[in-house]
Amino acid sequence: MTTSRDAGRVTGRRGVTRDGPPAAASIVLNGEDRAVEPGLSVAELLHSLGLEPGMVVVERNREILARRELAGTPVEDGDRFELVHFVGGG
Amino acid sequence: MGSSTPADGPLVIGGRPLASRLIVGTGKYRSNEEMVSAIRASGAEMVTVAVRRVDLDRGREEGILHHLDPAEFFLLPNTAGCYTTEDAVRYARLGRAAGLNDWVKLEVIGDERTLLPDTAATLGAARQLVGDGFQVLAYTNDDLITALRLEDAGCAAVMPLASPIGSGLGLVNPYYIREIKRRLTVPVIVDAGVGTASDACLTMEQGVDGVLMNTALAAAADPVAMARAMGLAVRAGREAYLAGRMASREIAVPSSPTAGMLE
């Protein structure tokens, strides 16, 4: 796993692209296929999406990741992520 | 103050006293500002929220935590939209992982048209979630047997409907609601179907511990004014219940003396 990425190596739209250059990690993010730079941590993935870790809950391959696990968990090819938060509801 | 009216303590759910017997949802408001103003006007402390995917294209401001302060309101995650035990448990765990509390408003729907609950699936999810350490407030039908079983499963509160979610039809079965209240020990909160203040008042007059509503506020022409009215109605209904209403009869009885009339 890699937790100290050089920001300059992040490709595409802040690290995440839909149809950017061939990337090593193909993931499914909230139901959408996305390609991401290999070696990102989940915390870096959230950062690249402009999301605050304290405001979202991450489910990776049907397992919830605790906030303390985000920095040390790598994004791997084939991962399926659900990023959820609270919205209005009754 | 009437001296003979029994003293009323706060609504206590799962050991937690609440400032109001009215619980409100946060869905379907025209704006976040209007939602927050309406909730404040209602006096509710416990407020339900839903768990949904972050919209990656629209940005993070959609999250309700940007608008509602968990220090001001007790946020109760729901499992709205779930149709199976498995989904409801999944959503409950996601809600808990947000880190606010380990409470859940459990809702397992069985039918799209009526949004009536799947009571068997609700019971299965309630057992799992209670075993998993959740404080479960379970939305259910106005069915005594399911209510009893949800209590046996360890739910912190049982929440039978007044009428279908978002219908505004009011309290369709006061007798069933009264019987559920008579037979359960845990708090009974009537959840869904209230349309206007008289519905909320009538519901509280059945003796239940609280009312939960969303659409009645959000879909009112003036949600803030309706929220204030609902807060008053819940208090009025509670106090009328405690005061003990007169017997009704289908014949008039004069209020003024019949003696002393002029010749």
Side-chain angles (χ1 to χ4, degrees):
Chain A
M1 80 185 65
T2 305
T3 54
S4 56
R5 301 292 303 170
D6 170 5
R9 293 178 60 192
V10 173
T11 60
R13 178 171 156 266
R14 290 179 300 170
V16 181
T17 63
R18 282 174 209 193
D19 48 9
S26 294
I27 63 171
V28 179
L29 200 55
N30 285 5
E32 274 184 31
D33 291 327
R34 299 234 180 174
V36 300
E37 171 86 3
L40 283 180
S41 69
V42 177
E44 288 168 323
L45 174 67
L46 294 184
H47 181 73
S48 74
L49 294 164
L51 300 173
E52 295 170 48
M55 289 289 186
V56 295
V57 174
V58 180
E59 192 192 68
R60 174 176 175 256
N61 302 326
R62 299 288 291 226
E63 296 283 337
I64 293 170
L65 289 178
R67 298 227 163 93
R68 63 178 181 280
E69 299 174 304
L70 298 176
T73 303
V75 176
E76 292 178 342
D77 194 52
D79 276 350
R80 300 182 71 88
F81 287 96
E82 293 291 350
L83 310 181
V84 303
H85 62 171
F86 288 139
V87 300
Chain B
M1 287 278 286
S3 56
S4 61
T5 302
D8 192 22
L11 168 59
V12 179
I13 304 177
R16 191 182 202 289
L18 293 168
S20 173
R21 292 178 178 275
L22 174 58
I23 302 171
V24 298
T26 52
K28 298 191 284 192
Y29 283 93
R30 282 164 284 226
S31 71
N32 287 308
E33 294 69 31
E34 184 176 68
M35 171 193 69
V36 174
S37 299
I39 295 172
R40 288 201 179 115
S42 79
E45 178 182 3
M46 184 174 272
V47 171
T48 65
V49 293
V51 174
R52 289 293 181 270
R53 281 175 165 167
V54 174
D55 184 338
L56 297 174
D57 296 321
R58 291 189 62 189
R60 59 205 171 96
E61 293 75 21
E62 298 224 316
I64 206 157
L65 293 182
H66 289 94
H67 308 283
L68 278 183
D69 181 1
E72 181 177 359
F73 304 105
F74 184 87
L75 300 187
L76 177 66
N78 71 25
T79 65
C82 292
Y83 279 75
T84 64
T85 295
E86 185 191 23
D87 274 352
V89 169
R90 184 184 185 194
Y91 275 68
R93 288 178 177 156
L94 287 167
R96 178 167 67 178
L100 298 178
N101 54 56
D102 53 7
W103 291 51
V104 64
K105 179 194 157 181
L106 174 63
E107 188 175 321
V108 188
I109 301 301
D111 176 60
E112 281 185 33
R113 178 176 147 81
T114 60
L115 298 180
L116 287 172
D118 181 329
T119 52
T122 301
L123 196 52
R127 288 183 177 127
Q128 277 192 48
L129 291 169
V130 169
D132 204 6
F134 280 87
Q135 294 279 2
V136 178
L137 288 70
Y139 165 69
T140 184
N141 215 328
D142 56 5
D143 171 61
L144 172 65
I145 309 308
T146 305
L148 288 167
R149 289 183 178 161
L150 286 167
E151 178 172 81
D152 287 346
C155 290
V158 174
M159 307 206 291
L161 50 72
S163 51
I165 294 170
S167 70
L169 287 173
L171 184 63
V172 297
N173 203 330
Y175 163 70
Y176 278 14
I177 294 296
R178 278 199 303 277
E179 187 60 16
I180 288 170
K181 175 55 198 169
R182 276 194 285 264
R183 300 284 294 277
L184 267 61
T185 304
V186 297
V188 173
I189 312 294
V190 170
D191 175 8
V194 163
T196 186
S198 54
D199 297 335
C201 190
L202 183 66
T203 300
M204 289 304 296
E205 286 173 17
Q206 309 311 309
V208 299
D209 300 280
V211 177
L212 194 161
M213 64 181 71
N214 184 344
T215 309
L217 305 187
D222 184 341
V224 177
M226 184 58 86
R228 194 179 315 115
M230 288 294 193
L232 293 168
V234 166
R235 287 189 56 181
R238 178 67 182 173
E239 293 192 19
Y241 166 73
L242 293 172
R245 63 154 295 152
M246 62 166 279
S248 57
R249 55 197 153 204
E250 296 198 350
I251 188 167
V253 180
S255 303
S256 305
T258 48
M261 300 295 291
L262 304 180
E263 299 268 324

